Amino acid sequence: VDLGGVESSGTIVVANKPERVEDDRATLARILKTRRASPMEARKLRGRLQYACSQTFGRSGAFAARLLRDLASGSGGERSLNRDEVIAIKWWYDYLAAAKPRRVHLSPSRPPVLLLTDGAVEDYSSIGGVIIDPVCGLIEYFGERVPAAVEQSWGRGCGHEQVIGQAEIAPLVVSAILWTEVIRERQLIAVVDNDSAKDAAIRGYSPSLPSAFLVAALWRAVAAANATPWFDRVPGPSNLA
């Protein structure tokens, strides 16, 4: 924790020590190379990584920590990693290099930005979003059909036809990336009309792997913008998106 900027700018900076990040990434690189790890090593690594992630935005690594849960809770010696565990290790390796320090502003804040998003699934999936910044009067929106290849990555057409959960989370991800500069260093009220999407965004994780990937991308974008989000739900008729 760096308190050096409190007097001059009213800002607290929270970050990981560079040497700790280097040590953790070296361990991750070794595991990625061999594709093997023991439950004891996974437990130790999981704890260190969750601590490291909490210094920036704790929800960012929730999905990767869950993917390592089975390995960390096991017993016995070293074993080969499965696909999900390799994905989790690779995510952590990349994230630790990209994660920025978290800046907490103590000075009076501006009114929050309002974001409303929605997704729909019929013959095809579509997503949309509306953003309102009361400070500068900005009002922007988007609406787009989801490409078939993206739907297939969610599982549609592969025995998993119900992809409404992914369609509700996806516009949050698109919005956080599209309007990064609008939400940068701002409080953000993000509103959806789907309970599972709201809950996944709050937890930073979903038991559905495609949704978990989307939520991880959402929190990575939020962390990159140093925004402070509040996720909530409104009934469909109240959703501008």
Side-chain angles (χ1 to χ4, degrees), residues 36-241:
R36 296 182 64 83
S38 68
M40 181 178 295
E41 185 175 41
R43 284 192 291 272
K44 179 180 178 181
L45 184 61
R46 187 168 179 249
R48 285 176 62 89
L49 293 175
Q50 285 181 311
Y51 176 82
C53 199
S54 70
Q55 305 312 305
T56 49
F57 278 75
R59 295 292 187 274
S60 300
F63 106 102
R66 287 293 188 97
L67 293 181
L68 288 177
R69 181 175 58 183
D70 289 344
L71 175 59
S73 61
S75 59
E78 190 176 82
R79 69 163 174 82
S80 296
L81 303 181
N82 63 35
R83 184 201 64 166
D84 290 351
E85 290 160 354
V86 171
I87 289 172
I89 294 294
K90 182 66 168 60
W91 188 92
W92 278 115
Y93 181 81
D94 293 339
Y95 179 79
L96 287 177
K100 296 180 179 179
R102 184 172 187 180
R103 299 169 60 85
V104 181
H105 300 288
L106 304 181
S107 55
S109 60
R110 293 171 287 176
V113 174
L114 176 62
L115 172 67
L116 302 101
T117 63
D118 197 12
V121 178
E122 295 179 356
D123 294 333
Y124 58 86
S125 301
S126 59
I127 60 174
V130 178
I131 195 165
I132 302 171
D133 184 351
V135 173
C136 65
L138 172 76
I139 301 177
E140 292 184 351
Y141 67 90
F142 76 89
E144 191 61 67
R145 178 173 176 169
V146 177
V150 175
E151 285 188 305
Q152 290 172 6
S153 74
W154 294 347
R156 192 170 197 184
C158 302
H160 182 66
E161 294 298 324
Q162 187 57 265
V163 295
I164 186 61
Q166 291 79 40
E168 293 282 2
I169 299 171
L172 287 170
V173 181
V174 172
S175 297
I177 296 172
L178 178 64
W179 289 309
T180 296
E181 294 309 316
V182 179
I183 67 173
R184 186 176 300 281
E185 306 283 344
R186 297 287 296 276
Q187 294 177 327
L188 169 69
I189 298 176
V191 176
V192 298
D193 57 18
N194 179 277
D195 280 322
S196 66
K198 179 202 71 173
D199 293 342
I202 291 172
R203 293 195 304 264
Y205 176 77
S206 169
S208 164
L209 193 57
S211 292
F213 278 123
L214 287 169
V215 173
L218 167 64
W219 274 100
R220 188 161 183 169
V222 167
N226 199 51
T228 304
W230 175 275
F231 297 101
D232 213 333
R233 178 190 178 277
V234 295
S238 300
N239 191 349
L240 293 177

Side-chain angles (χ1 to χ4, degrees), residues 1 7 17 20-21 23 37 98 113 155 162 164 210 229:
V1 178
E7 287 191 20
K17 294 181 178 179
R20 185 187 181 100
V21 172
D23 186 41
V113 174
Q162 187 57 265
I164 186 61

